[in-house]
């Protein structure tokens, strides 16, 4: 017999909208926050009142991001780390011992293109280390350090893992498929420890990374040109997205507006996958 607990209140019952969306008194760690989507997430989270830990391989860029966050009056810590190296990840969590973040956004990734037949061991290892293994170790550190407190984890997937569009991205596609599978496994395993783990699945978003891809197109790489054109033609909204449109969904997943959302793949692609 199914027993329904009618007395159980939703976590969000009777909480004002402004409180639900607020990240005040929360600390959020965002990887790859020196550029693109990570930088946009840092802005929205700061606006919502979160104290931030910005992590990137490019220290200059996160220092610039910090300067621009001055208006929000939040604390911002900076860490330079190459997340492809597990020892740098461990040292980061060692430095944060006792002040671990409530929210972890695993956003850093690389997407270099290479024909499948030319991929060699060092190339594949580099992409998997940055895009997938780093997420694995970051999640393990987060969950281990907050097993009794819980927290929120947001990982970055890609529509490429579901519907490969660009040529030469097989290594990227498997890294993102891995991130999506890992996130669902952790959501299932650690929900009772009060962890919510979700995946953002962006479509084509204008960032420094995609601008670099566009530069390849200028060199008459027809594969890239073709896929950019096809993306816009198929997408119901008929355009690429911008980083802030992903950041706004990240904010929803980070705050209590999504208190009953875990193990979800949230697609932010202007309708591309559904068309
Ligand atoms: N832009 C898109 O169209 C798109 C589409 C789908 C998914 N995504 C995903 O969104 C995320 C952000 O993409 P983006 O376009 O903003 O990327 P981006 O290249 O503009 O920025 C990535 C950031 O990660 C940092 N980074 C790279 N390697 C690192 C390492 N080893 N250690 C630490 N930091 C490192 C870079 O310095 C940079 O600041 C990625 O996970 C990407 O796969 C992007």
């Amino acid at each position: 017999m199914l027993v329904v607990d009618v007395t159980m209140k939703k976590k969000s019952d009777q909480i004002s909208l402004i409180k639900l969306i607020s990240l005040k008194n929360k600390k959020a760690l965002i990887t790859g926050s020196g550029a693109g989507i990570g930088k946009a997430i840092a802005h929205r989270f700061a606006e919502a009142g979160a104290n931030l830990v910005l992590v990137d391989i490019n220290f200059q860029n996160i220092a610039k991001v910090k300067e621009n966050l001055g208006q929000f009056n939040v604390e911002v810590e900076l860490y330079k780390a190459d997340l492809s190296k597990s020892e740098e990840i461990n040292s980061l969590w060692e430095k944060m011992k006792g002040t671990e973040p409530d929210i972890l956004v695993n956003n850093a990734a690389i997407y270099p293109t290479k024909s499948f037949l030319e991929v060699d061991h060092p190339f594949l290892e580099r992409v998997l280390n940055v895009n997938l293994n780093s997420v694995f170790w970051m999640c393990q550190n987060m969950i281990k350090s907050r097993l009794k407190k819980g927290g929120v984890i947001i990982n970055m997937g890609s529509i490429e893992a579901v519907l490969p569009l660009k040529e030469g991205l097989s290594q990227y596609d498997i890294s993102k498929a891995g991130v999506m599978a890992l996130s669902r496994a952790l959501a299932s395993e650690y929900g009772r420890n009060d962890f919510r783990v979700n995946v953002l699945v962006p479509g084509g978003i204008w960032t420094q990374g995609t601008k670099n891809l566009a530069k390849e197109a200028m060199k008459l790489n027809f594969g890239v040109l073709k896929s950019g054109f096809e993306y816009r033609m198929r997408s119901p909204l008929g355009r690429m997205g911008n980083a802030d449109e992903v950041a706004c969904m990240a904010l929803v997943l980070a705050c209590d507006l999504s208190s009953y959302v875990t193990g979800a793949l949230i697609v932010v692609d202007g309708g591309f996958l559904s068309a």
Side-chain angles (χ1 to χ4, degrees), residues 47-95:
E47 195 180 352
N51 294 322
L52 300 178
V53 183
L54 306 184
V55 180
D56 206 290
I57 197 168
N58 185 326
F59 188 82
Q60 254 190 329
N61 279 358
I62 41 175
K64 265 191 241 151
V65 172
K66 180 177 177 172
E67 263 177 46
N68 292 327
L69 295 177
Q71 53 175 316
F72 298 120
N73 209 17
V74 296
E75 285 167 28
V76 183
E77 295 165 48
L78 303 178
Y79 291 100
K80 176 182 161 74
D82 178 350
L83 296 165
S84 68
K85 298 180 175 149
S86 58
E87 60 276 16
E88 295 203 15
I89 291 178
N90 289 340
S91 131
L92 167 67
W93 287 86
E94 195 53 46
K95 284 181 202 147

Side-chain angles (χ1 to χ4, degrees), residues 11 23 28 50 53 80 97 146 155 187 210 220 231 234 257:
K11 207 172 169 184
L23 296 181
V53 183
K80 176 182 161 74
K97 209 168 190 142
R146 295 184 58 98
N155 293 329
T210 43
L220 286 186
Y231 182 83
R234 173 173 167 154
L257 279 172

Side-chain angles (χ1 to χ4, degrees), residues 14-275:
Q14 286 151 11
I15 301 175
S16 71
L17 191 56
I18 208 89
K19 275 200 181 141
L20 282 177
I21 205 169
S22 170
L23 296 181
K24 254 200 161 49
N25 301 320
K26 301 276 186 201
K27 184 171 180 172
L29 187 159
I30 306 159
T31 70
S33 36
I37 295 171
K39 178 174 153 184
I41 293 174
H43 273 258
R44 283 298 177 190
F45 280 19
E47 195 180 352
N51 294 322
L52 300 178
V53 183
L54 306 184
V55 180
D56 206 290
I57 197 168
N58 185 326
F59 188 82
Q60 254 190 329
N61 279 358
I62 41 175
K64 265 191 241 151
V65 172
K66 180 177 177 172
E67 263 177 46
N68 292 327
L69 295 177
Q71 53 175 316
F72 298 120
N73 209 17
V74 296
E75 285 167 28
V76 183
E77 295 165 48
L78 303 178
Y79 291 100
K80 176 182 161 74
D82 178 350
L83 296 165
S84 68
K85 298 180 175 149
S86 58
E87 60 276 16
E88 295 203 15
I89 291 178
N90 289 340
S91 131
L92 167 67
W93 287 86
E94 195 53 46
K95 284 181 202 147
M96 293 192 297
K97 209 168 190 142
T99 62
E100 287 90 357
D102 308 270
I103 301 158
L104 168 64
V105 183
N106 287 306
N107 163 78
I110 52 175
Y111 35 92
T113 55
K114 202 183 256 300
S115 153
F116 174 68
L117 298 180
E118 284 167 19
V119 171
D120 54 17
H121 279 271
F123 182 79
L124 179 61
E125 204 171 287
R126 171 89 188 134
V127 174
L128 292 181
N129 278 341
V130 179
N131 293 8
L132 175 59
N133 296 350
S134 74
V135 179
F136 192 98
W137 301 124
M138 288 294 285
C139 288
Q140 193 191 63
N141 273 286
M142 171 80 172
I143 292 174
K144 211 184 264 178
S145 65
R146 295 184 58 98
L147 205 52
K148 297 214 170 88
K149 296 188 209 157
V152 171
I153 298 177
I154 301 166
N155 293 329
M156 210 55 82
S158 172
I159 57 163
E160 265 286 329
V162 183
L163 187 64
L165 180 73
K166 294 191 202 82
E167 291 157 19
L169 280 177
S170 57
Q171 62 287 337
Y172 176 78
D173 297 347
I174 60 168
S175 73
K176 289 299 179 179
V179 166
M180 285 147 78
L182 170 70
S183 308
R184 289 164 70 85
L186 298 181
S188 151
E189 227 171 306
Y190 292 101
R192 303 294 168 99
N193 298 77
D194 228 0
F195 280 97
R196 291 194 297 110
V197 186
N198 290 297
V199 191
L200 280 172
V201 184
I205 309 293
W206 275 120
T207 63
Q208 196 48 53
T210 43
K211 277 177 199 154
N212 294 343
L213 272 186
K215 271 189 210 149
E216 275 187 51
M218 301 306 260
K219 290 181 215 151
L220 286 186
N221 176 337
F222 284 108
V224 176
L225 266 181
K226 188 171 134 277
S227 58
F229 177 72
E230 280 172 358
Y231 182 83
R232 275 188 287 271
M233 288 302 288
R234 173 173 167 154
S235 172
L237 295 186
R239 63 171 176 88
M240 300 267 288
N242 65 57
D244 186 52
E245 290 175 298
V246 183
C248 288
M249 282 311 298
L251 176 57
V252 171
L253 289 179
C255 73
D256 282 343
L257 279 172
S258 58
S259 56
Y260 199 51
V261 180
T262 195
L265 308 174
I266 308 289
V267 180
V268 186
D269 70 345
F272 181 83
L273 281 189
S274 69

Side-chain angles (χ1 to χ4, degrees), residues 5-15 259-260:
D5 181 0
V6 286
T7 61
M8 198 155 120
K9 289 206 165 206
K10 283 185 289 168
K11 207 172 169 184
S12 56
D13 271 356
Q14 286 151 11
I15 301 175
S259 56
Y260 199 51

